Amino acid sequence: MTLKKLFIGVVLAGTGLSLNAQASDSFVVDDIQIRGLQRVGLGAALTYVPVRVGEEADAQRIRQIIHELYSSSHFDDVRVYRDGDALVIRVTERPTITNIVFDGNRDLKDDQLLDSLANNGIAEGESLDRTVVSMLEKNLEDFYHSVGKYNAQVEIQVVNLPRNRVELRFNFREGPAAVVEQINFIGNDTFERRELTRLMELRDELPWWNILGKRNYQQQQLMGDLEEVESFYRDQGFLRFNIESVQVAITPELEGIYIAVNVNEGDRYDIKDARAIGELRDHEEFLNRFVKALEGRRYNQAEVTDIEETIKRYFGRFGFARTEVRAVPDIDDDNKVVSLTFSIDPGQRIYVRRVNFEGNDATKDEVLRREMRQIEGSWLSEQTVEFGKVRLERLGYFETVDVETIPVPGEPDQVDIVYRVKEQPSGTISAGIGYGDFAGLSLNAAVSQENFLGSGNRVSFSVDTNRYSRNVQLNYVDNYFTDDGVSLGGNIFYTDFDARQANLSRFNQRSWGIGSDLGFPVNEYNRLNFGVGFRNTGITQREIFEQIRSFYNRYADPDDPFGSLNFKTYDLTASWTRNTLNRGVFPTAGSMNRLSGKITTPNSDLQYFKLDYRFRYYRPFDRDHEFVLLTRLNAGYGNGYGQDESGADYRLPFWENFYGGGTDNLRGFEANRVGPRGITRRPQYILGPPDADGNREQIALGPEFDRIEVSRFASIGGNAQVNGGFELIFPTPFVGEETSRAVRTSAFIDVGVVWDTEFNYDQYRDLEVIGDAQFWDYSSPRNYQASYGVSVQWLSPMGVLSFSLGFPIRSLDRTLEDKFTFNIGTSF
């Protein structure tokens, strides 16, 4: 059967439709046929045909058919025929993209390109619109030009494959980037060129030490730099400042850029007066007093903007979430002053309908909800909503927390609050390995779950074992034992400790105990904790150093001086914590203060107390918190109180002493190597005259002839300590922005000292010292020690990997000179 050609429509370029119609009358369609379909189903194709069987077809309806089929993006070619009263549509489907290959792209990563192509409808498995290919070539070249690569070329090859498939090959020739040769300012009478270029990220020269810096030109960066220059002038009072023109000249080789910026500085202006107008909602007196603080000062655009934002936040506390504030200047050019009028429109008060959470797959909804301070049904407070975000971040359960305010459809005065969280591993199985030239190989492991079964409760079970210690401990804390935030915790522990193997005094300690703790929130930042506990401690002394001789002689059996001693103590604890940190993991702003104390009760075998203070302060240097200075300070003091039955004063038990060194307080030194060393007093003897059998008896000389031996490794510790330092946190090199929140790199300086306020070292000063007398210096609080180094922490989906490397700066111990220590720990 031959076809009578009625209409032919061919669409190839995407710029329009071409229609070739031979003269014919309209007709009633009794059948519709679509030929040439391969992957597109007949039913799907018919949905794009705006004509049905039994309807009349004419030239206008055929135009619609061609337009709709082409708009479906499935076809490259569409032709329409009439066969009797049947409508025959012949189509050529667009080819399917089976593979996308990139070659020569160094600046643009494959993932970035694939995401960009997908946004333009180009992806594997999708049909190819050939009209997009040339547009993509131009857009990619324009991108390279915007980053200063004017020699860059992009060629896209479409390789036809069997079964109407194609492969796209992107060939990049990026070429070198054009560098900024010179930046000139014209009309800058007040500020030097160098001062203005320091405001810019684009640089025409770099200091000698900046070996990683680049002078590459980027058009977008230039626009941002010019905005910085304009903001700088307006912040200095140049209200009429204007950038009149910018000339960017390119060398013939397309490799050098010369930038000339023509500016009109104008004059400096002072603020004559300021007032607030509008619907001020009974806050007229406060707002006018607030803005009048600007009067008499030099105009500063940043301060004006800050006041606008502050007023918005102020009204936001009362539920006016859409407050509009605009500072309108009335400029007096003759007197070089400006009057500011802050026009305020609080808008409608907004109420919160619901507070919802997303992304908390493991954490129960109630754990998040109890951290909220924005109440459903009350008016919206942006400050309270933001504080809820901060409280969620402090929990340490989430990698990121985002909050969004969503208007309720049809309710102009209501919104929903949605907190979107991304959970991170809150439970860890930690393992550590270390090595020291004295302590040897050490291993440790612990299991901890900060968010047990998503309840927000903390459960930890630790097992530490190494050359000198075996420790088992079980802890449980219910952070919301009551609805108002009272916490309840408990712990059980057992320790077997060989101090001689840990750079400490030569004794063995076995202890076990149990304790409980109640915590009470004072306000959003402060918390008080009170606890009770019991401890049973057994001590076996192997060698008695002078610092502990008086303590040991008081309790030891004279007939068995090296026998075991056992002490039962009941202790009361109290602590105050103030926490303003912005996050629970890797904080970048805020502070943490903690003061804690422990005292044994009078019915204990030993009466003593210990005080401990810990402080951390994070100060960001930039808006994005990429550079942060961490300041740390720890201080501790302990001593006995009261007298025993013999009238002797109680003292702090030597196993409760403070020690320095290691990852906790002084990196760069082995654990427990900082502090007073153990002193052994050795009597001296001479041989007496021979007896009747010719044997000569040893005769002890007087105490003034005794000699002193100071241990090289055994630290006795002290009842007082101070340590701290500074840590500069900076962006981790070679780490992408998407993982920057999970990696922390820092350079640190640690300083610390441990000393004994009770032991009288002076009584031994006149005795001869066996070995190196420098160890006497450890007894003085003036003889601090210090170290420096770097630390890296990585919070991965599998857990935490940490690494620190430290070098002594000032060490009184010659055995540590020119040495370094490192610690590696992992959590899974």
Side-chain angles (χ1 to χ4, degrees):
M1 178 184 297
T2 60
L3 294 177
K4 178 180 179 183
K5 187 185 300 181
L6 176 65
F7 302 104
I8 302 177
V10 183
V11 184
L12 292 176
T15 57
L17 301 173
S18 64
L19 178 65
N20 182 8
Q22 297 182 354
S24 176
D25 298 330
S26 62
F27 67 99
V28 177
V29 178
D30 62 5
D31 187 24
I32 299 176
Q33 302 175 18
I34 301 180
R35 300 176 182 177
L37 296 176
Q38 296 180 357
R39 290 178 300 277
V40 181
L42 177 61
L46 286 173
T47 60
Y48 298 104
V49 178
V51 176
R52 299 289 179 266
V53 174
E55 295 181 351
E56 190 176 86
D58 56 16
Q60 180 62 30
R61 301 299 295 275
I62 298 305
R63 289 190 184 95
Q64 288 182 300
I65 293 173
I66 296 172
H67 178 79
E68 294 296 328
L69 286 173
Y70 178 73
S71 298
S72 71
S73 74
H74 293 304
F75 309 108
D76 268 343
D77 184 69
V78 178
R79 299 172 184 266
V80 181
Y81 301 88
R82 174 182 177 181
D83 184 8
D85 288 335
L87 190 65
V88 179
I89 305 171
R90 189 180 298 278
V91 297
T92 301
E93 291 187 1
R94 290 179 176 176
T96 300
I97 302 172
T98 59
N99 194 26
I100 299 176
V101 179
F102 304 109
D103 181 44
N105 54 308
R106 293 187 302 273
D107 288 348
L108 290 176
K109 304 300 181 184
D110 289 0
D111 291 343
Q112 293 176 299
L113 287 168
L114 289 173
D115 291 341
S116 178
L117 292 175
N119 294 332
N120 288 276
I122 304 296
E124 293 182 3
E126 299 291 333
S127 57
L128 172 65
D129 184 356
R130 297 179 185 271
T131 62
V132 177
V133 173
S134 59
M135 179 188 67
L136 285 175
E137 288 180 343
K138 183 179 184 305
N139 289 345
L140 288 171
E141 288 182 355
D142 288 344
F143 166 78
Y144 279 107
H145 294 171
S146 69
V147 297
K149 293 202 170 187
Y150 292 98
N151 288 311
Q153 294 181 353
V154 180
E155 180 185 4
I156 303 178
Q157 293 179 325
V158 180
V159 181
N160 295 315
L161 301 175
R163 301 190 301 277
N164 198 27
R165 297 175 302 138
V166 295
E167 177 183 85
L168 293 183
R169 295 179 181 175
F170 289 76
N171 299 311
F172 296 86
R173 290 187 293 275
E174 294 181 340
V179 299
V180 179
E181 298 289 351
Q182 191 171 11
I183 302 175
N184 289 320
F185 285 88
I186 303 171
N188 55 310
D189 299 327
T190 306
F191 301 103
E192 298 287 341
R193 184 191 77 91
R194 186 177 298 274
E195 188 172 0
L196 296 177
T197 55
R198 278 201 296 263
L199 302 171
M200 307 173 67
E201 290 194 25
L202 288 181
R203 296 294 179 88
D204 55 3
E205 58 183 14
L206 295 171
W208 62 268
W209 48 264
N210 191 359
I211 59 176
L212 297 178
K214 295 182 179 180
R215 294 160 47 203
N216 295 353
Y217 171 77
Q218 293 189 25
Q219 181 180 358
Q220 186 176 4
Q221 188 59 62
L222 175 60
M223 297 299 102
D225 286 343
L226 294 179
E227 290 181 3
E228 287 292 329
V229 172
E230 183 174 356
S231 297
F232 171 75
Y233 268 97
R234 294 188 185 277
D235 292 346
Q236 304 301 318
F238 293 91
L239 187 57
R240 297 290 194 184
F241 174 83
N242 182 47
I243 296 178
E244 296 185 338
S245 65
V246 180
Q247 291 86 37
V248 179
I250 309 174
T251 61
E253 300 81 11
L254 303 180
E255 296 179 356
I257 299 291
Y258 290 83
I259 302 173
V261 183
N262 294 276
V263 302
N264 182 2
E265 291 183 338
D267 297 311
R268 276 178 164 157
Y269 288 77
D270 295 326
I271 299 176
K272 179 182 178 182
D273 54 62
R275 64 191 182 110
I277 64 171
E279 192 175 351
L280 304 185
R281 304 277 183 171
D282 299 326
H283 300 285
E284 294 91 346
E285 182 180 355
F286 168 77
L287 291 172
N288 277 288
R289 188 170 66 251
F290 178 63
V291 300
K292 284 185 178 298
L294 292 173
E295 294 181 355
R297 302 170 61 178
R298 176 153 289 166
Y299 179 84
N300 186 312
Q301 182 65 54
E303 291 183 354
V304 173
T305 302
D306 184 65
I307 285 182
E308 291 176 337
E309 295 301 318
T310 301
I311 294 175
K312 290 180 182 179
R313 291 193 298 269
Y314 176 77
F315 276 98
R317 296 171 57 187
F318 303 102
F320 299 98
R322 298 167 186 165
T323 301
E324 295 183 2
V325 181
R326 187 166 61 94
V328 181
D330 182 10
I331 303 174
D332 183 351
D333 290 316
D334 294 333
N335 297 308
K336 302 299 181 287
V337 293
V338 57
S339 298
L340 293 176
T341 300
F342 288 86
S343 176
I344 303 172
D345 180 12
Q348 189 175 15
R349 177 168 278 174
I350 306 299
Y351 294 84
V352 176
R353 185 182 67 168
R354 293 192 185 93
V355 177
N356 299 318
F357 305 96
E358 297 179 2
N360 54 314
D361 300 325
T363 307
K364 295 179 181 179
D365 210 58
E366 65 185 57
V367 175
L368 283 71
R369 190 168 297 280
R370 66 195 185 191
E371 301 297 329
M372 296 296 101
R373 297 300 179 261
Q374 175 66 63
I375 306 301
E376 294 179 342
S378 64
W379 68 54
L380 172 67
S381 171
E382 293 184 353
Q383 183 182 20
T384 306
V385 171
E386 185 63 24
F387 189 62
K389 175 178 180 290
V390 172
R391 289 184 62 88
L392 291 180
E393 290 178 323
R394 286 182 190 166
L395 291 175
Y397 309 158
F398 310 112
E399 181 179 336
T400 58
V401 179
D402 297 310
V403 60
E404 182 180 4
T405 303
I406 302 176
V408 176
E411 302 291 341
D413 62 341
Q414 294 185 25
V415 296
D416 289 338
I417 306 297
V418 179
Y419 289 90
R420 296 183 176 90
V421 300
K422 181 180 179 181
E423 292 181 316
Q424 64 186 15
S426 58
T428 63
I429 303 175
S430 64
I433 181 172
Y435 183 82
D437 56 0
F438 182 78
L441 182 68
S442 63
L443 302 171
N444 61 77
V447 180
S448 175
Q449 175 56 261
E450 299 290 337
N451 186 18
F452 183 64
L453 298 179
S455 65
N457 299 332
R458 182 179 187 272
V459 176
S460 66
F461 176 73
S462 63
V463 179
D464 294 332
T465 177
N466 51 43
R467 184 176 177 179
Y468 52 81
S469 173
R470 288 173 296 278
N471 178 68
V472 180
Q473 184 164 307
L474 175 64
N475 290 278
Y476 179 81
V477 178
D478 185 345
N479 291 309
Y480 276 81
F481 179 66
T482 65
D483 292 337
D484 54 1
V486 175
S487 64
L488 174 64
N491 69 89
I492 302 174
F493 66 89
Y494 170 81
T495 300
D496 186 353
F497 182 65
D498 184 355
R500 183 179 63 87
Q501 302 286 355
N503 298 333
L504 299 177
S505 174
R506 291 171 172 82
F507 68 90
N508 284 0
Q509 175 188 359
R510 287 188 180 182
S511 60
W512 62 271
I514 188 171
S516 183
D517 179 274
L518 276 174
F520 300 90
V522 178
N523 52 37
E524 297 293 352
Y525 303 104
N526 295 274
R527 189 175 190 86
L528 295 175
N529 284 69
F530 303 95
V532 297
F534 168 78
R535 175 187 290 261
N536 184 297
T537 303
I539 298 294
T540 302
Q541 186 67 41
R542 294 185 176 181
E543 181 176 351
I544 300 177
F545 291 115
E546 292 300 302
Q547 291 96 326
I548 62 176
R549 181 178 296 278
S550 61
F551 177 90
Y552 211 84
N553 289 342
R554 181 184 303 178
Y555 300 102
D557 185 351
D559 297 329
D560 185 13
F562 293 100
S564 176
L565 300 179
N566 288 280
F567 302 96
K568 294 181 175 61
T569 56
Y570 304 87
D571 56 72
L572 303 175
T573 59
S575 66
W576 161 72
T577 303
R578 176 176 173 80
N579 183 4
T580 62
L581 299 177
N582 62 335
R583 290 202 293 263
V585 178
F586 294 169
T588 58
S591 65
M592 168 75 82
N593 287 269
R594 189 172 192 272
L595 176 63
S596 60
K598 178 177 76 171
I599 186 170
T600 60
T601 59
N603 62 325
S604 300
D605 292 338
L606 300 171
Q607 295 177 201
Y608 65 91
F609 67 91
K610 289 183 73 174
L611 298 174
D612 185 75
Y613 174 69
R614 296 179 179 271
F615 169 75
R616 287 184 297 159
Y617 173 60
Y618 295 84
R619 187 194 186 285
F621 289 118
D622 60 309
R623 182 177 300 176
D624 297 328
H625 293 201
E626 291 186 343
F627 292 89
V628 180
L629 179 64
L630 165 61
T631 303
R632 297 182 295 104
L633 174 65
N634 301 328
Y637 177 76
N639 214 328
Y641 75 92
Q643 296 178 336
D644 60 14
E645 296 177 354
S646 65
D649 293 336
Y650 281 105
R651 291 184 59 181
L652 182 71
F654 60 88
W655 61 85
E656 291 284 350
N657 279 348
F658 298 102
Y659 301 93
T663 57
D664 291 336
N665 53 31
L666 194 56
R667 291 162 288 188
F669 294 88
E670 290 186 16
N672 308 319
R673 289 296 294 273
V674 177
R677 296 290 197 267
I679 299 174
T680 303
R681 185 165 185 164
R682 302 197 182 281
Q684 300 302 303
Y685 300 89
I686 62 172
L687 294 176
D691 57 15
D693 297 327
N695 297 320
R696 304 181 68 179
E697 182 181 3
Q698 286 189 335
I699 301 175
L701 298 177
E704 67 274 13
F705 294 100
D706 289 352
R707 301 175 70 186
I708 298 300
E709 183 178 355
V710 183
S711 174
R712 290 188 59 196
F713 297 103
S715 174
I716 199 64
N719 69 323
Q721 73 156 350
V722 175
N723 66 74
F726 299 96
E727 199 160 343
L728 178 62
I729 301 167
F730 54 87
T732 305
F734 315 113
V735 172
E737 183 178 354
E738 65 279 0
T739 58
S740 60
R741 284 283 298 269
V743 181
R744 167 157 288 184
T745 307
S746 62
F748 63 82
I749 295 178
D750 289 347
V751 181
V753 61
V754 177
W755 75 100
D756 195 326
T757 66
E758 296 298 313
F759 183 71
N760 184 12
Y761 284 88
D762 290 335
Q763 62 182 318
Y764 301 92
R765 292 288 179 180
D766 296 331
L767 300 180
E768 182 182 353
V769 178
I770 302 174
D772 197 336
Q774 68 168 329
F775 289 118
W776 285 113
D777 295 333
Y778 287 97
S779 63
S780 171
R782 298 185 300 273
N783 291 314
Y784 66 90
Q785 301 189 63
S787 64
Y788 71 98
V790 294
S791 175
V792 178
Q793 294 175 292
W794 174 33
L795 179 62
S796 70
M798 297 297 294
V800 176
L801 172 67
S802 61
F803 172 83
S804 62
L805 178 66
F807 298 85
I809 299 176
R810 183 178 188 272
S811 173
L812 303 177
D813 188 346
R814 292 179 182 173
T815 63
L816 295 178
E817 292 179 359
D818 302 322
K819 288 189 176 183
F820 65 89
T821 61
F822 67 91
N823 297 89
I824 299 175
T826 58
S827 300
F828 304 95

